Amino acid sequence: MFSSLNIFLQRWIAILTPLSLVFGVLFHQVGEQLLFIVSWLFAFMTFVGSLGMNVKEVRMVRKYPAVVLASITFLHIVMPAWAYFLSIIFFDDHLLTVGFVLAVAIPTGVTSVIWVTISKGNLPLCLSIILIDTLLAPIILPAILYFVVGESVTIDTMSLILNLLWMIVLPTILGITLNELSKGSIQKKWGPRLAPFSKLSLFAIIAINGSAVAPYVQKVSFELAGVIALVLFIALTGYASALWIAHVLWKDPVIATTFMFVGGMRNIATGVVIATTFFPAKVVMPIVFGMLFQQVLASVYNKVANWYGRHHFGINEGV
């Protein structure tokens, strides 16, 4: 039953994600009363995702140090700089600039594991990047936000660090520890049972935090359309530039596919929680709209990765 539910949720995630947002906006009065459980839901999601990780993944850093370093640089320097540049060109609104930068500065998405597996990328390398990027989040993210926020928006850096530790680092360490102590049996036994609840938690987070952006999306405006269009453009260029950079640096289809999904996907729920906790509601807009496109674009770029492998290396499709 759990496996069937998980397969159903995974198959329809690209539709259920925006539906959750719409539900949250329509019933924002309910969501406003449930904001206190969001951090708990996210910590649970992180814990479930980390049950499949182990210390051995870190060894991939020694085998592919350049790929790991390039991934961190792309995620937390290249894409935030690109988002900052575009947002100040198209919007004269510092809150939206913070939102766009935060949307791409957050850690890479755990769901990239799914797409790397489907496209036959390097799964151990993908897991090692996710693990390292997740553990570095309490250091990297406050530094980026401190640089971007400036004096116009105040942020409690210590509270942000503690929040990231609670939502990401501690659940990750707990999951890895339990996986190591059980020699992988806890993932085999409980992973499939908890997976659907993790996805349901994601939909709940999106719906609850949809209440924060309700005032901005209930009325259609040129600004709203512009924000959505720029979010889509940044997401498109994120995947495309990650694939191009990987091709130039390594010319290895397996590495390139892995780098593309790690560089293109984000743990958007993290950004939503941070934005609603530490910033005015408008900052959430660019982040929450990223949920509309991430999974859909991942499926599109899976086809692009297949074409890339065939065109440059004569490799058959992974799917």
Side-chain angles (χ1 to χ4, degrees), residues 23-37:
F23 184 85
V25 171
L26 292 176
F27 299 95
H28 60 92
Q29 298 93 340
V30 178
E32 290 166 358
Q33 306 301 316
L34 297 174
L35 286 169
F36 70 95
I37 69 169

Side-chain angles (χ1 to χ4, degrees), residues 9 110 231 266:
L9 294 174
V110 177
V231 167
R266 294 295 185 279

Side-chain angles (χ1 to χ4, degrees), residues 68-247:
V68 176
L69 181 60
S71 298
I72 301 299
T73 302
F74 181 82
L75 287 164
H76 301 297
I77 296 179
V78 176
M79 287 307 295
W82 178 232
Y84 181 83
F85 172 73
L86 291 174
S87 62
I88 61 174
I89 286 179
F90 291 103
F91 297 99
D92 184 21
D93 190 321
H94 190 62
L95 291 178
L96 286 179
T97 297
V98 173
F100 277 109
V101 173
L102 179 57
V104 295
I106 49 183
T108 185
V110 177
T111 50
S112 59
V113 169
I114 298 167
W115 293 104
V116 168
T117 302
I118 290 173
S119 61
K120 295 188 176 180
N122 189 321
L123 183 57
L125 175 61
C126 175
L127 287 169
S128 68
I129 294 171
I130 292 172
L131 176 58
I132 292 168
D133 193 38
T134 298
L135 295 176
L136 288 175
I139 300 171
I140 295 176
L141 201 50
I144 294 173
L145 289 175
Y146 184 80
F147 176 78
V148 174
V149 167
E151 297 180 359
S152 56
V153 180
T154 58
I155 177 172
D156 187 343
T157 305
M158 185 53 64
S159 294
L160 174 59
I161 293 172
L162 292 174
N163 204 261
L164 287 167
L165 287 171
W166 158 243
M167 291 194 307
I168 298 179
V169 177
L170 293 180
T172 299
I173 293 174
L174 178 60
I176 293 171
T177 302
L178 291 175
N179 190 31
E180 289 285 346
L181 292 175
S182 67
K183 301 187 186 307
S185 63
I186 191 168
Q187 165 62 14
K188 294 178 182 177
K189 182 177 180 179
W190 287 101
R193 298 180 184 180
L194 295 176
F197 295 102
S198 177
K199 292 180 178 64
L200 289 172
S201 296
L202 172 62
F203 301 141
I205 289 171
I206 296 169
I208 292 171
N209 285 307
S211 62
V213 295
Y216 299 100
V217 300
Q218 287 176 340
K219 288 172 53 173
V220 178
S221 64
F222 286 114
E223 182 181 65
L224 176 63
V227 169
I228 295 174
L230 187 55
V231 167
L232 175 58
F233 180 74
I234 291 174
L236 282 166
T237 54
Y239 280 104
S241 58
L243 181 60
W244 178 78
I245 289 171
H247 172 69

